[in-house]
């Protein structure tokens, strides 16, 4: 896995005006002991005039020419924290120079937030001199989104304080750890994200009131790669781990395998404060979590996900379950873990097909809640599929942020949490019918849901095509030929997301926003199941 450490030692902040580049840059430079430079300040020094006067006397063309000289002058080998003007990166040469200086961080914020922060600044911000400054901001954001999407990481500064933003940037660029809190009152817990943090499993668990006997649930390939590292970490912290290996595959998510885990817990003489650790992907997490939730009416549970799908989705939120022969996850509970430990280096060993399947859940988050994340994926997909550390760190962290926020507001899926099921209503049925990987089926389900939204007049065709294009580029399927539409519909009606016999669909209104609908005509569903795309 490539890391941000392989770049030069500086840090570059890009983004729209009003996103906090200067404030964050100064704080970041102070924390790192590096000099801070603001390219707009350097431009004013070189031109011996203010930027508004420069725009008046030489126009934007003259301003951009001096800006280019200033940016190229920074390529002198000195380590700095650099904050750029909002449009500086539109010049490809500028972007290449800035990227050579160190990791590029995009600071973003919604247009209304930017307007509120810059209100009254039209005199010193020439690009805001418009009859409708809000629409002007939105127009410029749309124009610049593809370039901003090339950044190594993105932080929405409307959601984070300056100190939080600095902490995130330092973690990403220093290859350190990031901690995201899932706020659920007494059941709150941390998601720890970093490279190599599996070695801290035991020490992190020692902060909880646990007894020493622990059960690690994993599968053979993961046990070979990471089992000893996890067990050594537990032993060094004073735990006595037993390891049980579950064969890979969805078929093991069963009551029969849950019983085998109960037997292992009894043989290891575990009590109500003995922890269960799920080391593996979504199947291991669901099965181990279900067993932990039901053994002795519930014992402590820790998630140590090793697949992309598990790190961004399955390990967070407390859904644990086993399958029934007639449907996925029909027997389960809401049972929150004590801790989620996402060690990003474990993604190095993930087969390409599973990495791509995990990307379906990441794309989902972009569609349901964050258009900026969707654009980021479009711009950085090749690096993600090559397992570039910075890109994957951002994907995992942002996905976990979105899920943590949704779960905190609706732990047991009485309302908004249902949006996390985008692509899953049809996806689960397709998975049951075909046996394909979960993420592959969800990818098809997302495309089909977008097609339904288009037919209902909710979603424009261009957005549908953006989704289809990104799914295809990821190497995931966009259709499933040969489905028995009637049988698939019946499978969908058995899904736990069905309420009162009515299917609930999560349908996009645009990239970044979805609604919950239970009034989709069956003919529309049959149509997309039969015709695909």
């Amino acid at each position: 896995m490539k890391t941000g450490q392989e770049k030069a030692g500086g840090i570059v902040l890009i983004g729209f005006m009003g996103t906090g580049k200067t404030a964050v840059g100064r704080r970041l430079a102070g924390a790192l002991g590096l000099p801070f430079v603001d390219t707009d300040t350097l431009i004013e020094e070189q031109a011996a005039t203010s930027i508004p006067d420069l725009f008046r006397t030489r126009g934007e063309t003259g301003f951009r020419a001096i800006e280019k000289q200033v940016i190229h002058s920074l390529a002198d080998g000195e380590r700095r924290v650099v904050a750029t003007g909002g449009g500086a990166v539109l010049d490809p040469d500028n972007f290449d120079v800035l990227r050579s200086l160190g990791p590029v961080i995009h600071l973003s914020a919604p247009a209304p937030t930017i307007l509120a922060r810059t209100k009254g600044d039209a005199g010193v911000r020439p690009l805001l001199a418009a009859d409708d400054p809000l629409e002007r901001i939105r127009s410029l954001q749309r124009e610049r989104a593809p370039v901003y999407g090339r950044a190594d990481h993105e932080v929405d500064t409307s959601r984070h304080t300056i100190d939080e933003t600095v902490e995130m940037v330092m973690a990403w660029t220093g290859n350190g750890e990031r901690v995201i809190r899932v706020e659920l009152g007494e059941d709150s817990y941390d998601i720890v994200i970093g490279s190599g943090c599996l070695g801290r499993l035991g020490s992190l668990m020692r902060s909880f009131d646990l007894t020493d006997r622990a059960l690690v649930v994993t599968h053979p390939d993961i046990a070979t790669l990471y089992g000893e590292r996890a067990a050594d970490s537990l032993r060094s912290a004073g735990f006595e781990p037993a390891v049980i290996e579950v064969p890979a595959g969805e078929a093991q998510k069963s009551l029969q395998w849950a019983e085998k885990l109960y037997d292992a817990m009894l043989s290891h003489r575990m009590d109500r404060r003995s922890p269960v650790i799920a080391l593996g992907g979504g199947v291991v997490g669901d099965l181990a979590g279900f067993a932990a939730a039901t053994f002795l009416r519930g014992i402590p549970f820790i998630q140590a996900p090793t697949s992309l799908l598990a790190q961004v989705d399955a390990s967070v939120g407390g859904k644990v379950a086993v399958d029934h022969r007639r449907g996925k996850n029909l027997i389960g509970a809401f049972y929150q873990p004590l801790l989620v430990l996402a060690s990003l280096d474990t993604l190095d060993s993930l087969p390409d097909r599973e990495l791509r399947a995990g990307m379906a859940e990441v794309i989902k988050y972009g569609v349901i809640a964050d258009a900026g994340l969707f654009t980021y994926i479009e711009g950085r997909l090749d690096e993600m599929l090559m397992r570039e550390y910075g890109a994957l760190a951002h994907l995992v962290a942002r996905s976990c942020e979105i899920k943590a926020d949704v779960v905190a507001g609706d732990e047991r899926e009485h309302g908004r949490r249902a949006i996390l099921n985008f692509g899953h209503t049809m996806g689960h049925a397709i998975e049951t019918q075909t046996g394909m990987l979960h993420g592959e089926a969800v990818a098809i389900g997302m495309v089909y849901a977008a097609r339904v939204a288009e037919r209902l007049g909710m979603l424009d065709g261009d957005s549908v095509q953006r989704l289809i294009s990104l799914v295809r580029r990821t190497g995931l399927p966009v259709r499933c030929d040969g489905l028995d539409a009637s049988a698939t519909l019946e499978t969908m009606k058995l899904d736990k997301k069905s309420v009162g016999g009515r299917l609930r669909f999560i349908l996009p209104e645009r990239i970044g926003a979805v609604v919950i609908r239970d009034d989709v005509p069956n003919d529309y569903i049959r149509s997309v199941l039969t015709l695909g795309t």
Side-chain angles (χ1 to χ4, degrees):
M1 182 179 290
K2 300 176 184 178
T3 72
Q5 297 279 50
E6 294 170 11
K7 290 194 171 187
I11 296 175
V12 178
L13 304 177
I14 67 171
F16 206 80
M17 65 183 81
T19 54
K21 298 186 297 292
T22 299
V24 170
R26 284 183 176 141
R27 192 80 56 85
L28 186 61
L32 295 173
L34 295 177
F36 170 70
V37 296
D38 185 318
T39 59
D40 282 352
T41 300
L42 296 180
I43 290 167
E44 290 181 330
E45 290 174 356
Q46 182 163 323
T49 188
S50 69
I51 286 177
D53 285 342
L54 184 57
F55 264 77
R56 279 192 292 271
T57 58
R58 304 193 200 181
E60 185 173 356
T61 301
F63 169 80
R64 297 298 178 197
I66 297 176
E67 181 178 59
K68 189 166 188 172
Q69 293 173 14
V70 164
I71 288 173
H72 282 247
S73 72
L74 297 175
D76 58 3
E78 183 177 350
R79 296 178 64 214
R80 305 178 179 91
V81 175
V82 179
T84 70
V89 293
L90 297 179
D91 184 319
D93 291 340
N94 287 353
F95 196 98
D96 289 343
V97 170
L98 292 169
R99 176 155 271 180
S100 74
L101 305 181
V104 177
I105 313 298
H106 173 214
L107 302 188
S108 67
T113 301
I114 290 172
L115 181 62
R117 290 175 177 175
T118 58
K119 201 166 185 178
D121 286 356
V124 295
R125 299 183 188 271
L127 291 180
L128 284 187
D131 293 336
D132 186 346
L134 181 60
E135 180 52 37
R136 176 62 171 159
I137 292 169
R138 286 175 171 151
S139 175
L140 288 170
Q141 284 182 320
R142 288 192 295 269
E143 174 189 329
R144 297 173 181 180
V147 182
Y148 289 155
R150 294 178 60 200
D152 293 301
H153 310 282
E154 178 182 349
V155 184
D156 182 346
T157 59
S158 71
R159 300 170 57 89
H160 301 283
T161 66
I162 292 175
D163 285 339
E164 288 171 343
T165 302
V166 168
E167 178 188 340
M168 291 161 65
V169 173
M170 289 179 67
W172 281 330
T173 57
N175 213 15
E177 290 180 357
R178 173 85 193 283
V179 179
I180 295 168
R181 186 73 169 168
V182 183
E183 295 288 356
L184 291 170
E186 292 182 357
D187 292 328
S188 298
Y189 56 95
D190 288 334
I191 306 166
V192 179
I193 302 166
S195 183
C197 58
L198 184 59
R200 295 185 58 217
L201 174 63
S203 60
L204 289 169
M205 285 173 54
R206 267 298 164 217
S207 64
F208 303 105
D209 179 21
L210 302 173
T211 50
D212 293 342
R213 296 183 184 276
L215 181 70
V216 178
V217 183
T218 186
H219 72 72
D221 290 344
I222 296 299
T224 298
L225 292 166
Y226 309 113
E228 200 55 38
R229 190 196 310 179
D232 284 347
S233 178
L234 291 168
R235 291 187 195 101
S236 66
F239 291 98
E240 298 178 34
V243 178
I244 183 167
E245 298 180 10
V246 179
E250 183 75 20
Q252 319 315 322
K253 266 177 57 175
S254 65
L255 289 171
Q256 291 76 20
W257 262 101
E259 185 174 6
K260 292 178 182 179
L261 297 193
Y262 301 145
D263 289 340
M265 295 174 196
L266 290 167
S267 296
H268 198 42
R269 301 193 304 282
M270 293 174 65
D271 59 37
R272 286 187 172 178
R273 298 307 303 164
S274 300
V276 173
I277 300 99
L279 177 66
V283 170
V284 163
D286 278 358
L287 173 63
F290 176 79
T294 50
F295 185 71
L296 300 179
R297 295 191 175 92
I299 63 175
F301 174 48
I302 289 89
Q303 288 268 24
T306 61
S307 72
L308 181 60
L309 186 148
Q311 290 185 357
V312 302
D313 189 70
S315 66
V316 179
K319 282 187 176 181
V320 296
V322 295
D323 298 339
H324 187 275
R325 66 180 182 279
R326 296 179 66 183
K328 278 178 58 68
N329 301 324
L330 294 182
I331 307 166
F334 289 95
Y335 193 68
Q336 301 297 339
L338 286 182
L339 170 73
V340 178
L341 187 62
S343 196
L344 297 174
D345 57 298
T346 61
L347 300 181
D348 286 342
S349 59
L350 194 66
D352 283 343
R353 184 184 176 192
E354 291 188 25
L355 182 75
R356 294 173 189 274
M359 283 296 301
E361 295 286 356
V362 181
I363 293 170
K364 174 192 78 176
Y365 288 117
V367 177
I368 68 172
D370 190 345
L373 175 62
F374 192 93
T375 301
Y376 181 88
I377 300 167
E378 288 177 311
R380 302 287 304 282
L381 181 62
D382 290 345
E383 293 170 53
M384 297 165 192
L385 296 178
M386 291 174 63
R387 305 169 200 248
E388 195 273 330
Y389 175 83
L392 287 178
H394 179 62
L395 286 189
V396 174
R398 185 67 188 116
S399 298
C400 287
E401 276 186 334
I402 293 170
K403 186 158 189 181
D405 179 64
V406 172
V407 169
D410 180 20
E411 180 183 2
R412 295 180 175 267
E413 202 171 300
H414 296 306
R416 183 170 180 255
R417 180 167 176 165
I419 69 172
L420 298 171
N421 294 323
F422 173 59
H424 289 62
T425 304
M426 283 188 267
H428 275 174
I430 292 168
E431 185 180 356
T432 300
Q433 294 281 320
T434 65
M436 65 175 59
L437 292 180
H438 174 75
E440 293 168 343
V442 167
I444 297 170
M446 290 192 296
V447 171
Y448 284 5
R451 283 298 197 194
V452 168
E454 182 182 27
R455 294 182 186 197
L456 287 169
M458 297 170 52
L459 185 66
D460 65 278
D462 288 345
S463 294
V464 176
Q465 290 306 316
R466 275 184 75 190
L467 175 60
I468 291 172
S469 173
L470 183 55
V471 170
R472 280 191 174 130
R473 286 178 56 213
T474 306
L476 292 167
V478 298
R479 62 188 295 162
C480 183
D481 295 326
L483 278 175
D484 182 327
S486 295
T488 306
L489 259 173
E490 287 305 308
T491 301
M492 290 163 62
K493 289 176 181 177
L494 290 171
D495 192 280
K496 61 190 181 304
K497 292 178 286 296
S498 174
V499 178
R502 297 171 71 90
L503 290 169
R504 285 196 303 173
F505 284 88
I506 314 305
L507 302 179
E509 296 181 302
R510 62 182 184 275
I511 301 296
V514 293
V515 294
I516 303 168
R517 296 280 295 264
D518 65 357
D519 60 346
V520 177
N522 283 348
D523 288 348
Y524 283 37
I525 304 168
R526 285 194 182 92
S527 176
V528 290
L529 290 173
T530 302
L531 299 178
T533 62

